[in-house]
Amino acid sequence: PRRRAVSVAVSPAAGLADERVETRVAGLGPGQEVTLRAVAADERGCLFQSCAHYRADGRGELHLGTDASHGGDYTGVEPMGLFWSLAPAGMERPYQRLLPRSTGAPMKVEMLVHQGHSRHGAMPGPVMAKAEVERWFTAPGVRRIRLKEGAVRGSLFLPPGDGPFPGVIDMYGDEGGLVEFRSSLLATRGFAALSLPYFDFEDLPKVMTEFKLEYFEEAARFLQRHPKVKGPGVGVIGTGKGAELALSMITFLPEVVAAVCISGCSSNTVADLHYGDMTLPGLRFDMNKVSVSDTGVFDTFEALDDPVNPANSPCTIPVEKAEGHFLLVVGEDDRVWKSSLYAELAIGRLRQHGKENFELLSYPGAGHRIDPPSTPFCQVAVDRVLGVPVMGGGEIKAHARAQEHSWGKIQEFLRLHLG
């Protein structure tokens, strides 16, 4: 009897970017070896791909939820492995991130089944089947409102329905500009999320020289007073420099009652932070302490001034003054800076003042930038400010696990403290 045609099915074919998909292949020969590939392009047309080696079962079928990869970009049973291992294709510039620049269109990923196990860098075998999957960053009915409200810039994402919804300010790190994909996913999950840029966007300062906390205060008040936002307080989530600003916001601004700090520092860094008459000077990076590998990758792990040094105590954020709650999220293999140590310092300071208003999520093997689930892992990324590849750290599987686990915990934390 003739074998049926090979097919690959991804379900759902169109779904949210933070949800798992099921990938199944049928019509293969018993025990047949195939390579599964995922291919995606970013908005600039840069190509990203991943691959894994599989073997069909006795019925000539494959299910990525139960069958293990035997090689390629990952091994073992990893239903979403082809998504989180997407990396720049061989002909592209290395160290680029696959991140959506706009949230209104889906990221399209093509799934291909190739004959045989193809070696890394070699041409894959003939295509036996293919399917396209759409990864959406926003659900139907989510509204995106571009903001020019006083000094505040950014985008407000509102869930469908009347609300009111818990309000969250979302900030990224020293790459600057407006990064919206986490905010739109938060809105999809029922939060009124304000994606807040703080430099290098529209009429905001071009570079990080100094910041005024009043800007962040104005954003918190705007969100708190919005008719669709539940009171009395709002939350904030930040990564890197954004996490450190989140610490300052919950410390000094009564409007902010919950802060999620991902890979942040317990002291103010780089740019001085002013609030009224108060100034928190910024810890500096000592470029002499940056090491560069043979391949030209910069490691900044030892470069930030030591926050424990008494000379640097004026830079410390006095987190013990905060009335709200902290969720500290760190990757234990963060190579950008010592975020595990900084989380310990913040916790030590809170405990010293008799406070237990914190939770810590500490992930072995995870790197610096812990994003929503299935965001492609990028151990080294070109730094937008320095223009050179910088080590973020982490091991691919452990980092993927941290992203999946923390995303659920972050939402639980925000719901608990924002109602």
Side-chain angles (χ1 to χ4, degrees):
R2 275 183 55 213
R3 270 220 323 268
R4 58 203 169 110
V6 177
S7 65
V8 57
V10 185
S11 157
L16 290 163
D18 60 352
E19 288 179 351
R20 282 189 176 197
V21 297
E22 285 212 355
T23 306
R24 294 175 185 270
V25 182
L28 298 167
Q32 184 172 354
E33 294 186 340
V34 290
T35 297
L36 261 67
R37 259 174 89 230
V39 181
D42 68 10
E43 280 95 334
R44 296 162 305 185
C46 172
L47 215 58
F48 291 76
Q49 60 181 17
S50 59
C51 77
H53 299 159
Y54 286 93
R55 211 171 282 128
D57 65 14
R59 296 192 306 276
E61 294 177 358
L62 260 181
H63 178 211
L64 267 58
T66 52
D67 295 322
S69 161
H70 302 285
D73 291 324
Y74 60 90
T75 56
V77 179
E78 298 292 347
M80 298 302 292
L82 287 168
F83 292 88
W84 47 248
S85 61
L86 281 163
M91 75 288 257
E92 301 288 359
R93 283 200 347 265
Y95 312 136
Q96 296 187 75
R97 286 187 188 284
L98 178 55
L99 292 174
R101 301 272 174 255
S102 71
T103 56
M107 184 186 289
K108 293 181 177 177
V109 183
E110 192 169 36
M111 305 290 263
L112 302 121
V113 182
H114 295 269
Q115 207 170 307
H117 286 171
S118 45
R119 285 196 331 276
H120 207 74
M123 280 290 286
V127 175
M128 304 168 77
K130 58 183 179 179
E132 190 178 72
V133 55
E134 291 185 352
R135 307 285 283 163
W136 286 86
F137 291 87
T138 183
V142 168
R143 284 198 301 148
R144 172 182 179 266
I145 302 153
R146 281 300 302 279
L147 280 194
K148 263 198 165 170
E149 193 70 36
V152 178
R153 302 290 172 263
S155 298
L156 177 63
F157 290 87
L158 293 173
D162 296 334
F165 310 103
V168 182
I169 292 170
D170 178 24
M171 300 180 294
Y172 269 92
D174 60 6
E175 65 268 47
L178 179 64
V179 183
E180 297 179 312
F181 74 101
R182 185 166 61 192
S183 304
S184 64
L185 283 173
L186 282 168
T188 294
R189 299 286 167 219
F191 296 92
L194 168 54
S195 186
L196 186 70
Y198 48 93
F199 78 104
D200 195 26
F201 181 73
E202 291 183 351
D203 55 356
L204 295 175
K206 273 278 159 262
V207 291
M208 289 201 298
T209 46
E210 55 177 4
F211 292 120
K212 288 187 162 59
L213 198 61
E214 281 82 357
Y215 172 76
F216 303 92
E217 182 175 51
E218 195 178 327
R221 285 179 178 168
F222 163 78
L223 190 62
Q224 185 193 33
R225 290 169 185 162
H226 195 281
K228 291 266 185 184
V229 173
K230 234 185 221 185
V234 297
V236 58
I237 177 170
T239 297
K241 178 67 187 176
E244 171 202 308
L245 286 164
L247 282 182
S248 291
M249 287 170 75
I250 192 170
T251 296
F252 297 110
L253 308 179
E255 295 83 1
V256 178
V257 298
V260 178
C261 305
I262 302 168
S263 310
C265 185
S266 52
S267 292
N268 187 51
T269 67
V270 184
D272 293 356
L273 180 68
H274 306 285
Y275 186 45
D277 299 335
M278 182 209 73
T279 297
L280 287 184
L283 290 180
R284 302 295 174 200
F285 277 95
D286 181 350
M287 294 314 281
N288 295 321
K289 291 184 180 169
V290 174
S291 60
V292 185
S293 73
D294 298 343
T295 53
V297 174
F298 284 56
D299 187 337
T300 59
F301 188 68
E302 295 290 347
L304 187 67
D305 289 346
D306 181 4
V308 180
N309 182 337
N312 295 323
S313 62
C315 306
T316 306
I317 301 164
V319 289
E320 69 280 0
K321 293 183 174 174
E323 293 298 321
H325 291 262
F326 299 88
L327 177 63
L328 306 169
V329 183
V330 296
E332 292 174 21
D333 193 30
D334 185 346
R335 293 298 303 175
V336 170
W337 58 16
K338 303 174 183 179
S339 53
S340 286
L341 166 69
Y342 305 150
E344 281 172 31
L345 291 175
I347 287 169
R349 208 173 162 97
L350 290 168
R351 285 202 161 129
Q352 218 180 326
H353 290 82
K355 296 205 160 184
E356 291 290 333
N357 54 342
F358 63 87
E359 286 174 64
L360 172 67
L361 297 176
S362 187
Y363 295 102
H368 180 70
R369 192 161 155 161
I370 298 171
D371 275 323
S374 304
T375 301
F377 174 67
C378 197
Q379 189 181 49
V380 176
V382 174
D383 184 274
R384 206 197 56 81
V385 180
L386 300 173
V388 296
V390 172
M391 175 66 82
E395 180 276 312
I396 189 164
K397 267 197 202 187
H399 194 87
R401 299 257 189 292
Q403 293 195 146
E404 185 149 351
H405 182 263
S406 62
W407 186 236
K409 291 290 182 189
I410 286 165
Q411 292 174 65
E412 274 175 32
F413 170 83
L414 291 170
R415 283 203 181 89
L416 176 65
H417 296 294
L418 301 176

